[in-house]
Amino acid sequence: MTARTRIKEQSPVLGEEKACLLGLLAGDGGVYRRNPNEGGSHVNVFVGLDRQMGEVCVSLFDRVYGIEAQIKELRPGQSRRTQVNYLVTCFSQDLVDDILSVAPFGTMDWRIPSAVVEGNLSLQGSWLSGFFEADGGVILITDNGDRRVSATSANLTGIKQVVSLLKGMDIEVGGSTRKANIEKNTRESRQITITNRDNIEKFASWVGFCSSKKINKLREVIDSYAQDDDSTFKSFLESRLSGKNVPESIPLAGIKDEEALKVFLSQRSAKGHRDHRGDKVR
């Protein structure tokens, strides 16, 4: 495959699949202009241990640009790796030129494309889906009920743009700053976190993930809230049947009729099980 591999004609309007791909590149990718003697211009997306995510990237390069990307194995021992990791690589000068015409890229230089910032929520969600897939994750710790979606970046300007998009979706975002560590050769970085049921459900509806692994984990988090509802309902009925006062910790105690409560809780549980936009692999 030569460095001048042609891409298919691009629409002047940024589409959702392309936005998702650009989010992946911002999160954990690289865009390199090189002459043929240096190996040729190319694009990399690091997908870690998840080969299935690598296949998603290959499919996106094909659907968006009509060119073939390769999945490269990074064997244990390279860069102190203990397991096989995967890197998606695509060589094409035309590809690099097009991507860099949309937005700047690089660990400290990437920015959200203006077309995304000014676009609708669906387009913004697609870019964010790629970014969180590459640079974020979702956590569920059942012992302490910890549920959160998070992402970390050393690009403090770029991560501020991410927070701004999320707030535009009415998603509350927390965060913390990690100081640079000279001994470990790490830069200052910013971690953002999304917690609480309402915020995580909005994230699932508007953003989501690209890989089945993270999609399933996010679905597991959403389902765990419905299980909490079941536990609340059980505690309510046990209290009523035993003749005890309903504990103040149960937020639905004001509903006196058991049948009405059943209907209310069934609707609330259904909300946690609805089909989310994030369940789609775009």
Side-chain angles (χ1 to χ4, degrees):
M1 185 178 300
T2 68
R4 290 305 313 181
T5 300
R6 296 294 181 184
I7 62 175
K8 69 181 183 181
E9 185 176 354
Q10 296 296 291
S11 168
V13 179
L14 183 63
E16 291 185 19
E17 286 189 327
K18 187 171 182 177
C20 181
L21 181 57
L22 295 177
L24 283 164
L25 288 171
D28 212 348
V31 183
Y32 307 97
R33 274 203 173 107
R34 300 284 190 271
N35 63 48
N37 294 332
E38 297 174 318
S41 295
H42 61 283
V43 174
N44 289 337
V45 183
F46 181 71
V47 294
L49 305 174
D50 194 351
R51 182 181 176 88
Q52 187 267 341
M53 185 57 222
E55 294 169 354
V56 171
C57 289
V58 169
S59 179
L60 282 172
F61 277 115
D62 179 49
R63 296 201 301 270
V64 174
Y65 287 105
I67 55 178
E68 183 180 1
Q70 305 292 330
I71 300 178
K72 179 182 178 181
E73 286 190 359
L74 305 177
R75 307 301 301 177
Q78 296 177 303
S79 300
R80 294 178 292 183
R81 293 186 181 89
T82 58
Q83 301 180 65
V84 174
N85 281 246
Y86 299 97
L87 181 72
V88 177
T89 301
C90 192
F91 283 86
S92 169
Q93 182 67 53
D94 290 346
L95 171 65
V96 169
D97 290 344
D98 180 78
I99 289 174
L100 292 179
S101 73
V102 179
F105 285 88
T107 302
M108 305 299 293
D109 301 321
W110 63 263
R111 298 290 185 271
I112 300 178
S114 58
V116 172
V117 174
E118 298 166 4
N120 58 34
L121 293 182
S122 184
L123 186 66
Q124 293 175 357
S126 294
W127 189 95
L128 288 170
S129 177
F131 176 79
F132 273 89
E133 179 64 45
D135 230 3
V138 56
I139 293 175
L140 170 62
I141 302 177
T142 54
D143 290 345
N144 60 11
D146 185 12
R147 307 172 177 96
R148 54 191 158 96
V149 175
S150 63
T152 303
S153 178
N155 185 336
L156 303 184
T157 300
I159 204 72
K160 285 181 181 178
Q161 288 187 306
V162 171
V163 171
S164 179
L165 287 191
L166 291 169
K167 288 184 175 179
M169 297 174 176
D170 198 27
I171 297 173
E172 296 178 1
V173 183
S176 60
T177 299
R178 297 176 179 177
K179 295 182 178 180
N181 189 316
I182 298 177
E183 294 181 357
K184 295 182 179 180
N185 194 30
T186 59
R187 299 184 177 98
E188 180 182 0
S189 63
R190 181 74 177 170
Q191 182 183 62
I192 59 174
T193 56
I194 300 169
T195 59
N196 298 329
R197 180 175 188 167
D198 186 52
N199 293 317
I200 292 177
E201 286 189 340
K202 288 175 184 175
F203 177 88
S205 295
W206 285 112
V207 182
F209 292 101
C210 307
S211 69
S212 59
K213 180 179 180 180
K214 290 182 179 178
I215 289 171
N216 290 336
K217 177 59 70 173
L218 182 59
R219 184 182 293 116
E220 185 179 345
V221 169
I222 298 296
D223 288 347
S224 72
Y225 284 113
Q227 293 170 7
D228 285 353
D229 285 343
D230 293 340
S231 177
T232 299
F233 185 40
K234 182 179 179 181
S235 297
F236 174 87
L237 290 183
E238 287 178 347
S239 297
R240 290 296 297 271
L241 291 174
S242 65
K244 298 178 180 178
N245 293 327
V246 178
E248 293 182 0
S249 60
I250 297 179
L252 304 179
I255 301 179
K256 302 302 182 182
D257 182 82
E258 280 86 347
E259 289 302 316
L261 180 64
K262 289 179 182 179
V263 172
F264 183 87
L265 285 177
S266 67
Q267 292 173 343
R268 185 169 168 185
S269 296
K271 181 181 178 183
H273 286 89
R274 70 177 183 271
D275 289 334
H276 296 291
R277 186 174 170 276
D279 289 348
K280 299 178 181 178
V281 177
R282 290 182 289 277

